[in-house]
Amino acid sequence: MKLIPSLIAAATLACGFAASAQEADIRKALAERIPQMDKIDEVRPTAMKGLYEVRIGTDLFYTDAKGDYVIQGELIDTKVRRNLTEDRITKLTAINFAALPFKDAITIVRGDGKRKVAVFEDPNCGYCKRFERDLQNVDNVTVYLFLYPILSPDSAEKSRNIWCSKDPVTAWQDQMVRDKAAPAASCDTGALQRNLALGRKHKITGTPTLIFANGARVPGAIGAKDVEKRLAEAGAGTEPTATN
């Protein structure tokens, strides 16, 4: 009977070597045939037999066992109606919420403030204005607003005026909810530059972009009901899920 564990261990080791060799073959073939794929971060089998995921950063491709064919698209599990590609990208782009530099954000507390969300926004963003107006219906939340001036030449100026105002929270709400621009102000705007660097690091290319306490990233304006749902998932410790 002692032989069985040994056989299982040997079989597992053999499978590991086979998988490693398979990955090496795929890497070699793709690097030789497609120069842009010479720096692959990860190769792993997918739920579909014979199909492998090739990851370069957060970009996903699919290939056969020999690297003879490459597919760029979405892998759908029709049995459970799940977009496996989207699920995977959601996990890859998740952000460590606790590691965010909250000192560089405007902190807005509503109610008891127990639930938390971070948002990257540009004062010139129309979708952000729609989001902010809908967000007024969400209570008992702390919003960490990272000013992220990327859309227009005067986004930096408006962000500076808001950040440097005597009451940044009111200045932000005036700008986004009441269409009242903040008066000119000046101060150290190093936080805004750090926000831009942080956004580039995490490939945040649009506003608003929301980050919840469980690391889930949601690009684009979502309604109050969706925000509530995401806050509940984060509070329950649920892993990031794809946006529906």
Side-chain angles (χ1 to χ4, degrees), residues 73-118:
E74 297 181 335
L75 181 62
I76 311 293
D77 186 331
T78 59
K79 297 192 300 295
V80 295
R81 299 182 181 181
R82 297 279 310 179
N83 186 324
L84 301 183
T85 304
E86 189 175 350
D87 285 350
R88 177 82 166 120
I89 290 174
T90 296
K91 290 183 179 179
L92 288 172
T93 58
I95 294 174
N96 183 355
F97 187 87
L100 290 172
F102 299 116
K103 63 182 176 58
D104 291 337
I106 296 172
T107 303
I108 304 169
V109 181
R110 295 198 181 97
D112 61 27
K114 288 183 178 179
R115 304 181 299 174
K116 301 180 188 302
V117 61

Side-chain angles (χ1 to χ4, degrees), residues 138-204:
V138 179
D139 199 9
N140 298 326
V141 64
T142 296
V143 179
Y144 297 102
L145 165 66
F146 288 87
L147 289 166
Y148 195 54
I150 61 171
L151 295 181
S152 302
D154 68 339
S155 290
E157 179 183 353
K158 289 180 179 178
S159 294
R160 182 200 67 212
N161 292 340
I162 293 167
W163 178 253
C164 296
S165 69
K166 293 181 179 179
D167 184 352
V169 173
T170 298
W172 174 253
Q173 296 295 327
D174 282 346
Q175 177 80 44
M176 306 304 282
V177 180
R178 294 178 281 274
D179 290 320
K180 180 182 176 183
S186 60
C187 66
D188 180 0
T189 56
L192 303 184
Q193 297 307 312
R194 290 191 292 272
N195 290 351
L196 290 171
L198 181 67
R200 287 193 293 269
K201 174 184 175 182
H202 291 294
K203 296 184 179 180
I204 295 174

Side-chain angles (χ1 to χ4, degrees), residues 22-34 37 40 66:
Q22 192 73 69
E23 176 182 341
D25 289 345
I26 291 173
R27 285 177 179 270
K28 183 174 183 295
L30 293 181
E32 289 176 350
R33 300 167 188 173
I34 307 176
M37 301 186 81
I40 294 171
K66 295 182 179 180

